[in-house]
């Protein structure tokens, strides 16, 4: 579908809306092992995340699952069960469309669980929030507040609550620095893919976006905790009466059952 758009004589604006609908994203799958609440060592459970910014992995401050994520019931601690259940019930009353459109309301609940960072092995608190949708990606995000606006807003809103860590700075500006970049994303989310090199990022220090993305995928594969991946947003097919596509389709019904018109009668010529 995406490649076919190059071969049809539609306006560029319509083509671009179709590209956005298909939503091709190049990134990586990353697996975070869930820590056992008793021993604080990795359990058999893991949270799989699709991210378009694997280069920012050392800026992960927390994780957010969609309220509907299957792991929520399995990893929520007894102390947090009532709060999590109440939040899930509240979220169920809102449609995905409402949740996607509402960028101002910030809400979420700590599950009480922690995941282990693949490289630093530090505990990462796991929250649920309705800004994450179960139907897109894996229904989980690795939250990097210094590099994503919604993660930044979430981290600031719950700052100091339930072990929400301080925002980590992983960006150093290149010359000339991008606006605000000297503060490294700690005072705002710096989501550009250019204008910086990485700091506080172990083996990724000094690398840019492209260099770091390639290297971190290689290292994740060595640990068997990730790999490069292409994702698509497209979930539903759309049929249209516009332009050259002709509906109704060449189908007729006998006793309520659809029959295909014989090939010798095709193509059906549309009315003028």
């Amino acid at each position: 579908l995406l490649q076919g758009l190059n071969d049809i004589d539609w306006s560029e604006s319509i083509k671009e809306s179709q590209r956005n609908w298909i939503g091709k994203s190049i990134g990586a799958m990353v697996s975070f092992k869930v820590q056992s609440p008793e021993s604080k060592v990795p359990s058999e459970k893991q949270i799989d995340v699709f991210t378009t910014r694997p280069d920012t992995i050392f800026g992960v401050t927390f994780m957010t699952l969609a309220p509907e994520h299957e792991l929520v019931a399995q990893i929520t601690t007894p102390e947090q069960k009532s709060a999590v259940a109440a939040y899930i019930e509240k979220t169920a009353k809102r449609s995905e469309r409402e949740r996607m459109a509402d960028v101002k309301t910030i809400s979420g609940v700590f599950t009480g669980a922690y995941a282990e960072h693949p490289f630093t092995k530090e505990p990462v608190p796991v929250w649920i929030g309705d800004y994450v949708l179960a139907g897109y990606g894996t229904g989980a995000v690795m939250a990097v507040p210094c590099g994503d606006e919604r993660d930044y807003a979430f981290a600031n809103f719950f700052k100091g609550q339930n072990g929400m860590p301080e925002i980590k700075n992983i960006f150093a500006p290149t010359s000339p620095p991008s606006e605000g970049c000297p503060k490294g994303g700690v005072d705002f989310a710096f989501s550009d893919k250019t204008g910086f090199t990485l700091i506080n990022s172990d083996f990724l220090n000094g690398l840019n976006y492209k260099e770091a993305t390639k290297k971190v995928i290689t290292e994740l594969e060595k640990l068997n905790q990730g790999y490069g991946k292409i994702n698509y947003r497209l979930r539903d097919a759309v049929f249209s009466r516009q332009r050259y596509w002709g509906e109704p389709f060449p189908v007729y019904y006998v006793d309520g059952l659809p029959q295909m018109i014989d090939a010798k009668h095709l193509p059906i010529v549309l009315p003028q």
Side-chain angles (χ1 to χ4, degrees):
L1 288 174
L2 196 58
Q3 293 171 354
L5 289 171
N6 298 325
D7 302 322
I8 55 179
D9 58 340
W10 289 355
S11 69
E12 193 57 36
S13 62
I14 292 179
K15 287 186 180 183
E16 190 59 26
S17 69
Q18 289 291 309
R19 292 187 185 104
N20 292 336
W21 179 266
I22 294 168
K24 181 178 181 179
S25 297
I26 300 174
M29 289 292 295
V30 185
S31 297
F32 290 77
K33 297 178 181 178
V34 179
Q35 291 185 341
S36 169
E38 295 83 16
S39 61
K40 305 299 181 184
V41 298
S43 66
E44 294 181 358
K45 299 181 179 66
Q46 66 181 34
I47 300 171
D48 296 319
V49 173
F50 173 76
T51 175
T52 58
R53 296 296 304 273
D55 61 304
T56 66
I57 194 165
F58 285 95
V60 173
T61 300
F62 60 98
M63 303 193 73
T64 314
L65 305 183
E68 307 89 347
H69 197 288
E70 61 181 4
L71 276 179
V72 173
Q74 301 175 36
I75 67 175
T76 299
T77 60
E79 296 80 9
Q80 294 297 111
K81 279 193 181 297
S82 60
V84 167
Y87 184 76
I88 292 174
E89 183 180 359
K90 178 183 176 182
T91 302
K93 298 174 183 177
R94 304 179 74 202
S95 67
E96 272 198 6
R97 184 183 295 270
E98 288 175 313
R99 288 161 59 179
M100 289 173 68
D102 185 5
V103 297
K104 294 183 179 180
T105 303
I106 300 172
S107 66
V109 174
F110 180 46
T111 65
Y114 289 84
E116 183 182 86
H117 192 284
F119 297 113
T120 68
K121 307 305 179 185
E122 293 177 353
V124 180
V126 182
W127 289 63
I128 59 173
D130 66 2
Y131 77 98
V132 181
L133 303 177
Y136 180 61
T138 64
V141 300
M142 59 175 218
V144 181
C146 66
D148 182 272
E149 290 183 4
R150 298 201 79 169
D151 293 342
Y152 179 82
F154 196 93
N156 265 319
F157 188 82
F158 291 106
K159 186 176 181 179
Q161 299 182 40
N162 293 315
M164 176 65 77
E166 292 290 324
I167 296 174
K168 298 177 181 179
N169 169 26
I170 59 169
F171 299 119
T174 54
S175 183
S178 300
E179 182 181 352
C181 192
K183 295 182 180 178
V186 173
D187 294 328
F188 66 97
F190 181 74
S191 56
D192 291 350
K193 292 182 178 179
T194 59
F196 72 89
T197 56
L198 290 165
I199 58 174
N200 300 324
S201 296
D202 200 278
F203 57 85
L204 300 180
N205 285 341
L207 302 183
N208 61 30
Y209 161 71
K210 287 187 177 181
E211 296 167 338
T213 296
K214 183 178 180 179
K215 187 167 182 63
V216 76
I217 289 174
T218 299
E219 295 303 316
L220 284 167
E221 289 175 345
K222 289 180 181 177
L223 295 174
N224 198 30
Q225 285 189 246
Y227 54 90
K229 181 177 173 60
I230 295 176
N231 227 13
Y232 295 90
R233 184 178 290 113
L234 180 65
R235 289 175 289 174
D236 302 304
V238 174
F239 296 102
S240 171
R241 296 179 186 273
Q242 299 173 12
R243 308 299 289 254
Y244 321 114
W245 303 340
E247 286 189 298
F249 292 101
V251 173
Y252 67 99
Y253 290 82
V254 176
D255 297 329
L257 298 176
Q259 310 290 322
M260 299 304 296
I261 290 175
D262 195 276
K264 67 183 180 183
H265 299 303
L266 300 178
I268 302 291
V269 180
L270 298 179
Q272 293 296 321

